[in-house]
Amino acid sequence: MSQKQFTSSYTNDSKYVKEYIQATLKPYTKIMLLCAVIAFAFAGATIALRIQTTISILFLLLGGCLLLDAYYFSWHRAHKKTIKGYKQLYGRVDVPVEAKIDDKGVHYTVNGNTLSYSYDEIDRIEGMKHLIVFICKKRVVPFLKDSFSKGELQMLKQFVNKKGRQITG
């Protein structure tokens, strides 16, 4: 039986860096953003209904601002760290990348250095606009969706499902 393999080769453009950082943000940061929006909505509703509880309105606005700050700083820190890491390792951000997935796991090759992760080391898989991002215990392995035809992309999703993983998003 021949081994099934999917390969994605691309140049790691800065727009992809932004996208996979968004995918890697912990789920709680997304919850913080949602809570901030809800806090601002409640503050707006209390103002619109002319409820005279200034302290509660200030509390909701302050809470929403703090949550937005925490969300922004976690994203900004992750983005800055990733860009700095690429520049230290490769001298620039836009470097050639080859990502493979096969029966053994996912493999990520940049500048001739290959990192491999088994399916047990994959925490979750996020589907983004341009990428499918495998979030592993130590690193992130992004696959560019445009490197696959629609049929190949569907086969990749089925292959990952058979390995006990689900692509979300």
Side-chain angles (χ1 to χ4, degrees):
M1 184 174 156
S2 66
Q3 188 179 37
K4 190 90 167 162
Q5 178 176 301
F6 298 92
T7 304
S8 176
S9 298
Y10 58 96
T11 299
N12 195 8
D13 188 300
S14 56
K15 74 176 176 183
Y16 302 137
V17 172
K18 289 177 183 178
E19 198 168 302
Y20 81 69
I21 288 171
Q22 185 179 356
T24 60
L25 285 177
K26 301 280 185 203
Y28 72 83
T29 58
K30 294 175 184 175
I31 292 170
M32 283 191 314
L33 180 62
L34 180 64
C35 289
V37 169
I38 290 170
F40 286 127
F42 276 115
T46 55
I47 291 169
L49 295 174
R50 300 186 191 278
I51 298 173
Q52 297 298 324
T53 53
T54 307
I55 293 173
S56 65
I57 293 171
L58 290 175
F59 176 73
L60 287 169
L61 291 173
L62 179 66
C65 289
L66 290 174
L67 288 169
L68 281 178
D69 281 347
Y71 176 79
Y72 170 76
F73 284 121
S74 64
W75 191 93
H76 183 69
R77 188 174 1 144
H79 186 264
K80 189 174 178 181
K81 185 178 176 184
T82 302
I83 298 296
K84 182 179 177 184
Y86 264 95
K87 287 181 179 175
Q88 283 178 342
L89 290 172
Y90 312 114
R92 62 187 212 267
V93 176
D94 299 331
V95 292
V97 172
E98 183 178 82
K100 290 183 185 177
I101 186 166
D102 59 24
D103 288 329
K104 295 177 184 173
V106 294
H107 316 280
Y108 187 62
T109 304
V110 181
N111 269 8
N113 298 325
T114 301
L115 302 168
S116 296
Y117 303 97
S118 69
Y119 287 97
D120 294 337
E121 295 176 284
I122 299 171
D123 288 335
R124 67 185 197 280
I125 306 167
E126 293 281 337
M128 305 298 288
K129 183 177 181 180
H130 298 102
L131 302 172
I132 296 175
V133 182
F134 288 75
I135 294 103
C136 302
K137 303 255 185 251
K138 296 179 183 175
R139 296 233 196 257
V140 176
V141 181
F143 286 77
L144 184 63
K145 285 183 177 179
D146 291 345
S147 3
F148 304 109
S149 68
K150 272 193 165 183
E152 288 173 329
L153 198 54
Q154 189 61 32
M155 288 189 326
L156 173 65
K157 288 178 181 181
Q158 290 171 353
F159 180 79
V160 169
N161 288 343
K162 286 181 184 174
K163 296 296 178 183
R165 298 294 176 184
Q166 184 72 30
I167 297 173
T168 58

